[in-house]
């Protein structure tokens, strides 16, 4: 096979229109298993394929990219950078985006290699060209450049190159192109900052994070909306949250929520502000965040009662997120009538309205009602049971009615609520006392999609995973459920058919 590849390469270099030969080479390479490709390609040079990239013929360029993707992936990063560094550099400024992406992808492989990365770090022109790719129009090129630069920053030498050399000025120049590209650089900086406290220190010292934070209170509401997303990402790491707290950002965002009522354009960025605190509450402490910034939860309740579907959706997601934790449940319960009112609204939304909001309502309810076995104290069981009864006068019938509607996402959403209460003794009692409910669970003819079958299987598993299930459900139901579980989610019972000669 190596001889065949060599022969095809020689043919390609000797013809004026190499399309047919390139097709043959591509076919030959695809026929070789990836595991064997490195041995087959050993000792061969592929400069002729790189040279054929210098054309305006789209088909030729595409074929060359396909071939090089296959070949270069088989080469070790060290061999690649030692033999084709200049070719990769040329690819970074190629007019065709697929060539740029090819070069950036291979550079991404190289910088992950502890020895090969040095040859990239010592090449200012390559690093500069990668940064300039962030300013390219095509987002796929920019994303690949961001990914490669992020990998470079995982080492101190890489951080030194990016933030303590002229390359920092290159980044700042690229930022000046327009708002979109400025935010791509912010995206890179946030990604680097999230990696470690040390990398955050480099980014902070560069002044780029301060610049991002100042955009939170800028005049352009769309820029505010984008910057809050970036800041939320930065808050995912503990060292990121500590930095933001030191900079007074939590207080600033709290004040922005408080002042949103006075801003006619606040609907554009308010969801982002609420999501910021929602994520903060889950990563830190729901009680601490809600007590320190009471405006956050008050605003969530307001949004839950809003008429704007966007605001309602954010409230549903945030309440579900908060209520997924024990501490969050306790915080919400302390809100008394305010929470009760918004929970009733969630119940109404689950029963009628736009399908998307119904699905998000069902998801929020299932998160609010979920209680892991290790958290099932008398107080918390009493809490979830009281919430379930707030849904309607006949909550079991309400959720079951939703589960029979011909919309897979509603069917599965309703089953997830049953799964949430199935592990709790009060839920099991309601199920076994609800006429026909056990037959409904065991009936495999309802919900024929894979998602529906998985959701039903999860419900059965949730029931059987509880230590109280056998006692509450009774031995007959328990055995039937165990059989269902052992048969798996996609079991189909064989139906005997008897053919009668002469029958239609």
């Amino acid at each position: 096979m190596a001889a065949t590849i060599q022969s095809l390469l020689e043919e390609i270099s000797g013809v004026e229109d190499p399309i047919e030969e390139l097709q043959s080479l591509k076919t030959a390479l695809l026929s070789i298993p990836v595991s064997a490709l490195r041995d087959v390609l050993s000792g061969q040079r592929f400069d002729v394929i790189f040279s054929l990239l210098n054309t305006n013929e789209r088909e030729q360029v595409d074929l060359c990219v396909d071939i090089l993707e296959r070949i270069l992936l088989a080469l070790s990063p060290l061999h690649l950078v030692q033999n084709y560094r200049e070719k990769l550099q040329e690819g970074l400024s190629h007019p065709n985006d697929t060539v740029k992406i090819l070069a950036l992808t291979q550079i991404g492989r190289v910088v992950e290699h502890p020895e090969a990365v040095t040859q990239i770090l010592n090449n200012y022109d390559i690093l500069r060209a990668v940064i300039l790719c962030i300013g390219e129009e095509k987002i796929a090129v920019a994303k690949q450049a961001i990914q490669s630069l992020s990998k470079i920053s995982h080492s101190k030498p890489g951080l030194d190159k990016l933030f303590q050399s002229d390359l920092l000025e290159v980044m700042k120049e690229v930022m000046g192109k327009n708002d979109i590209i400025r935010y791509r650089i912010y995206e890179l900086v946030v990604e680097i900052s999230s990696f470690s406290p040390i990398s955050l220190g480099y980014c902070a010292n560069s002044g780029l994070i301060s610049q991002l934070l100042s955009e939170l209170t800028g005049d352009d509401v769309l820029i505010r909306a984008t910057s809050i997303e970036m800041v939320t990402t930065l808050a995912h790491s503990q060292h990121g949250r500590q930095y933001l707290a030191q900079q007074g950002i939590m207080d600033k965002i709290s004040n922005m929520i408080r002042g949103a009522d006075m801003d006619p354009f606040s609907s554009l960025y308010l969801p982002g502000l609420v999501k910021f605190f929602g994520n903060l509450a889950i990563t830190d402490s729901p009680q601490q965040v809600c007590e320190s910034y009471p405006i956050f939860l008050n605003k969530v309740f307001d949004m839950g009662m809003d008429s704007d579907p966007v605001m309602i959706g954010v409230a549903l997601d945030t309440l579900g997120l908060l209520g997924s934790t024990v501490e969050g449940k306790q915080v919400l319960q302390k809100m008394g009538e305010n929470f009760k009112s918004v929970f009733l609204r969630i119940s109404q939304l689950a029963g009628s309205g736009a399908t998307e909001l119904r699905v998000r309502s069902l998801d929020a309810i299932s998160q609010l009602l979920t209680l892991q076995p290790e958290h099932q104290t008398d107080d918390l069981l009493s809490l979830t049971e009281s919430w379930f009864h707030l849904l309607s006068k006949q909550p079991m019938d309400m959720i079951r009615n939703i589960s029979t509607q011909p919309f897979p996402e509603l069917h599965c959403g309703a089953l997830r609520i049953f799964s949430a209460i199935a592990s709790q003794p009060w839920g099991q009692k309601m199920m076994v006392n609800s006429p026909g409910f056990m037959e409904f669970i065991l009936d495999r003819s309802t919900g024929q999609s894979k998602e529906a079958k998985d959701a039903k299987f999860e419900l059965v598993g949730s029931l059987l995973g509880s230590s109280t299930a056998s006692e509450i459900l009774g031995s007959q139901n328990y055995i039937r459920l165990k059989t269902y579980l052992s048969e798996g989610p996609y079991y189909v019972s064989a139906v005997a058919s008897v053919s009668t000669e002469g029958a239609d």
Side-chain angles (χ1 to χ4, degrees):
M1 188 54 81
T4 304
I5 301 295
Q6 182 61 44
S7 173
L8 286 168
L9 287 168
E10 289 171 3
E11 285 179 33
I12 288 167
S13 60
V15 295
E16 198 168 307
D17 184 7
I19 296 294
E20 194 175 323
E21 288 76 11
L22 286 168
Q23 288 277 20
S24 299
L25 178 57
K26 179 181 173 180
T27 303
L29 288 167
L30 288 172
S31 70
I32 305 168
V34 175
S35 57
L37 206 52
R38 185 175 294 185
D39 291 337
V40 172
L41 300 177
S42 179
Q44 303 202 38
R45 295 284 305 179
F46 303 96
D47 301 74
V48 62
I49 308 298
F50 279 104
S51 68
L52 290 174
L53 289 169
N54 299 317
T55 177
N56 293 323
E57 293 294 329
R58 183 63 188 252
E59 186 182 3
Q60 181 173 314
V61 171
D62 288 346
L63 277 169
C64 289
V65 168
D66 289 344
I67 289 166
L68 287 169
E69 274 181 347
R70 185 83 173 164
I71 289 169
L72 299 181
L73 198 59
L75 304 179
S76 73
L78 196 57
H79 179 84
L80 175 63
V81 76
Q82 287 172 342
N83 291 274
Y84 298 106
R85 185 175 63 244
E86 289 179 8
K87 302 297 183 185
L88 292 178
Q89 185 174 336
E90 289 170 11
L92 294 172
S93 55
H94 196 280
N96 189 303
D97 289 330
T98 59
V99 179
K100 287 193 185 86
I101 291 170
L102 172 70
L104 287 164
T105 304
Q106 296 306 319
I107 288 169
R109 283 183 62 220
V110 169
V111 299
E112 286 181 306
H113 190 281
E115 291 177 55
V117 65
T118 308
Q119 301 209 32
I120 298 293
L121 290 178
N122 291 337
N123 192 312
Y124 174 86
D125 291 334
I126 285 184
L127 291 172
R128 181 177 179 276
V130 173
I131 292 170
L132 292 177
C133 282
I134 297 177
E136 290 292 328
E137 187 176 342
K138 193 173 182 70
I139 185 66
V141 175
K143 287 283 184 187
Q144 201 63 54
I146 288 169
Q147 199 174 329
S148 295
L149 289 167
S150 179
K151 290 174 183 175
I152 286 171
S153 70
H154 289 180
S155 69
K156 188 178 183 302
L159 288 166
D160 288 338
K161 283 289 179 184
L162 288 178
F163 294 102
Q164 294 188 347
S165 74
D166 293 345
L167 291 172
L168 179 58
E169 291 308 311
V170 176
M171 275 197 268
K172 290 180 178 178
E173 284 171 23
V174 171
M175 286 179 85
K177 276 192 168 186
N178 57 48
D179 291 344
I180 291 171
I181 292 166
R182 183 164 83 256
Y183 273 87
R184 289 179 188 171
I185 295 288
Y186 286 148
E187 183 184 336
L188 170 65
V189 169
V190 167
E191 201 165 305
I192 292 172
S193 298
S194 299
F195 185 69
S196 72
I198 291 171
S199 59
L200 172 59
Y202 275 86
C203 294
N205 291 336
S206 73
L208 293 176
I209 294 188
S210 299
Q211 191 174 334
L212 167 62
L213 298 180
S214 69
E215 308 246 23
L216 278 174
T217 49
D219 294 331
D220 190 320
V221 290
L222 292 176
I223 286 178
R224 279 196 211 179
T226 310
S227 60
I228 188 61
E229 284 182 30
M230 298 283 179
V231 174
T232 301
T233 303
L234 185 57
H236 287 164
S237 65
Q238 186 179 0
H239 61 272
R241 292 194 296 277
Q242 288 174 343
Y243 175 80
L244 292 173
Q246 289 164 2
Q247 302 300 310
I249 296 304
M250 281 67 162
D251 292 327
K252 183 178 283 189
I253 292 174
S254 176
N255 289 333
M256 287 172 72
I257 293 175
R258 190 171 285 108
D261 292 339
M262 309 297 291
D263 184 353
F265 300 107
S266 64
S267 62
L268 295 169
Y269 60 84
L270 184 58
L273 301 178
V274 169
K275 286 178 187 175
F276 172 84
F277 275 118
N279 282 291
L280 193 66
I282 292 302
T283 48
D284 271 358
S285 155
Q287 183 175 340
Q288 186 180 331
V289 169
C290 293
E291 286 180 358
S292 301
Y293 308 100
I295 188 67
F296 156 60
L297 203 49
N298 290 335
K299 182 55 70 175
V300 172
F301 290 156
D302 288 346
M303 291 165 80
M305 307 303 284
D306 206 306
S307 58
D308 182 348
V310 175
M311 296 299 169
I312 297 169
V314 173
L316 291 170
D317 296 347
T318 306
L319 288 167
L321 193 64
L322 277 173
S324 66
T325 67
V326 167
E327 193 179 311
K329 285 177 170 59
Q330 292 167 329
V331 167
L332 292 172
Q333 181 73 343
K334 284 179 187 173
M335 300 303 290
E337 289 300 315
N338 284 340
F339 174 68
K340 187 175 178 180
S341 298
V342 83
F343 193 83
L344 290 170
R345 179 79 195 284
I346 296 173
S347 173
Q348 291 166 2
L349 290 166
S352 62
T355 303
E356 187 197 346
L357 280 183
R358 293 185 71 185
V359 171
R360 288 166 86 172
S361 298
L362 293 170
D363 285 345
I365 292 167
S366 68
Q367 287 178 293
L368 286 161
L369 295 176
T370 296
L371 196 59
Q372 299 303 329
E374 63 270 23
H375 299 138
Q376 290 182 9
T377 62
D378 290 344
D379 286 348
L380 287 169
L381 285 167
S382 174
L383 180 150
T384 52
E385 184 177 7
S386 69
W387 286 0
F388 186 69
H389 284 285
L390 280 178
L391 290 173
S392 83
K393 290 180 180 177
Q394 299 292 334
M396 289 294 290
D397 291 343
M398 173 199 165
I399 303 302
R400 191 166 160 188
N401 287 340
I402 295 171
S403 77
T404 59
Q405 295 184 13
F407 300 99
E409 56 267 54
L410 293 177
H411 175 76
C412 294
L415 288 180
R416 279 192 288 272
I417 291 176
F418 285 138
S419 291
I421 68 170
S423 67
Q424 302 173 58
W426 64 262
Q428 294 158 19
K429 288 173 186 172
M430 293 195 76
M431 287 178 175
V432 80
N433 292 327
S434 180
F437 191 82
M438 297 313 296
E439 286 70 26
F440 161 73
I441 292 178
L442 293 161
D443 182 2
R444 289 185 180 271
S445 68
T446 60
Q448 291 302 301
S449 68
K450 180 184 181 299
E451 291 76 16
K453 290 177 187 292
D454 288 340
K456 180 73 77 72
F457 191 71
E458 184 185 336
L459 167 53
V460 173
S462 183
L463 268 171
L464 292 176
S466 168
S467 59
T468 58
S470 59
E471 181 188 343
I472 294 173
L473 299 178
S475 58
Q476 188 180 354
N477 285 326
Y478 191 74
I479 289 168
R480 291 166 72 197
L481 288 166
K482 285 204 78 167
T483 303
Y484 188 111
L485 200 68
S486 66
E487 289 170 344
Y490 315 118
Y491 175 78
V492 178
S493 59
V495 179
S497 61
V498 178
S499 63
T500 308
E501 190 176 346
D504 288 334

